[in-house]
Amino acid sequence: MQEPSLFSPASCCCLFSLLALLATSHLMMSVKTMDIIDLTCEKCSQESPVFNYTFCLASLQAVPVSHFTNIKGLGVISMELALLNASTTISSIEKMLRNGSLDPFQLGCLRDCLELYSDASRTLVDAAGAFIVGQYGVASMRVSAAMEAATTCEDGFEERGEICPLRKENYDLFQLGDIALCILRLLSLSIPS
Ligand SMILES: *[C@@H]1O[C@H](CO)[C@@H](O)[C@H](O)[C@H]1NC(C)=O
Ligand SMILES: *[C@@H]1O[C@H](CO)[C@@H](O)[C@H](O)[C@H]1NC(C)=O
Ligand SMILES: *[C@@H]1O[C@H](CO)[C@@H](O)[C@H](O)[C@H]1NC(C)=O
């Protein structure tokens, strides 16, 4: 009996089916991973009344790699976004502090917020480190601390009924932290400890 050559109709057919299989599984995979952003944001918004589904979707979808990742990858991305937010906010506070047109109260609040945000960015680096080695409990504590920095910064202004010039920044950091916290909860649930 003759061995089928590489180019025999039989092996061509095999090769074609293999390619077709690869193509469809790739397609299925990208559909699945695109859905993971939606699924995650949806699930998290059901768990918490303050969780912003629109914000979650927009933040994660803006990062190209998040379309091709799993829930753990989304966790890392949410922490990186939070860290990036905190760093950008630190630069804007420094810029505001150089502006002479602020009253002493506002200057005081901004200085407090600068310290809070500097701590928060260090805490978020620690959180990401703990997350990567699977210490989800430690990571959650660190993320919560960073979210508290945003709340404390906001409260400093509200005490005197002033509008915080960092309202959006505080909101964004809180929401990004809430995404990370929710993902940490979902991961802890799926890994019995
Ligand atoms: C939720 O996030 C979106 C997008 O960032 C924002 O436009 C909207 O105001 C937020 N919703 C609430 C209730 O803050
Ligand atoms: C913070 O993150 C949100 C969502 O990713 C983004 O829309 C916003 O521009 C960021 N803000 C800063 C100050 O980096
Ligand atoms: C200083 O703050 C005022 C009021 O917030 C603003 O209109 C002005 O553009 C700022 N100047 C600089 C140099 O940032």
Side-chain angles (χ1 to χ4, degrees):
M1 243 184 80
Q2 202 187 344
E3 289 285 322
S5 86
L6 188 59
F7 298 106
S8 74
S11 58
C12 271
C13 178
C14 265
L15 187 66
F16 181 77
S17 339
L18 186 67
L19 284 175
L21 188 73
L22 282 175
T24 45
S25 65
H26 178 260
L27 194 71
M28 270 156 44
M29 206 163 76
S30 55
V31 166
K32 210 173 92 195
T33 45
M34 265 165 84
D35 268 340
I36 200 170
I37 298 178
D38 202 4
L39 281 174
T40 307
C41 295
E42 176 78 48
K43 207 171 166 93
C44 293
S45 67
Q46 282 165 5
E47 284 184 13
S48 152
V50 294
F51 190 93
N52 186 330
Y53 169 79
T54 315
F55 180 94
C56 177
L57 214 58
S59 309
L60 294 179
Q61 280 179 341
V63 184
V65 74
S66 64
H67 292 290
F68 307 101
T69 191
N70 53 19
I71 185 153
K72 208 165 171 183
L74 286 185
V76 175
I77 290 166
S78 64
M79 288 182 203
E80 280 176 352
L81 285 174
L83 185 58
L84 197 69
N85 251 246
S87 312
T88 312
T89 301
I90 288 171
S91 321
S92 356
I93 298 176
E94 283 168 344
K95 217 176 279 169
M96 287 183 213
L97 284 173
R98 281 196 295 269
N99 187 335
S101 69
L102 297 168
D103 67 45
F105 173 79
Q106 287 178 318
L107 279 174
C109 281
L110 284 175
R111 286 203 194 95
D112 289 349
C113 290
L114 182 60
E115 209 173 303
L116 288 164
Y117 268 85
S118 307
D119 287 347
S121 71
R122 276 191 294 273
T123 307
L124 285 167
V125 172
D126 288 350
F131 180 78
I132 287 163
V133 298
Q135 293 179 331
Y136 297 149
V138 175
S140 294
M141 262 162 41
R142 301 283 185 271
V143 171
S144 304
M147 290 162 75
E148 244 174 74
T151 316
T152 310
C153 167
E154 188 76 27
D155 290 348
F157 280 86
E158 276 177 5
E159 264 168 34
R160 235 189 45 177
E162 297 219 19
I163 290 185
C164 179
L166 299 168
R167 177 161 279 179
K168 183 179 184 298
E169 286 82 353
N170 290 337
Y171 183 78
D172 286 0
L173 183 61
F174 187 91
Q175 285 296 328
L176 288 170
D178 220 9
I179 298 173
L181 271 191
C182 174
I183 290 175
L184 279 160
R185 251 192 330 269
L186 294 175
L187 282 167
S188 311
L189 287 177
S190 67
I191 296 167
S193 52

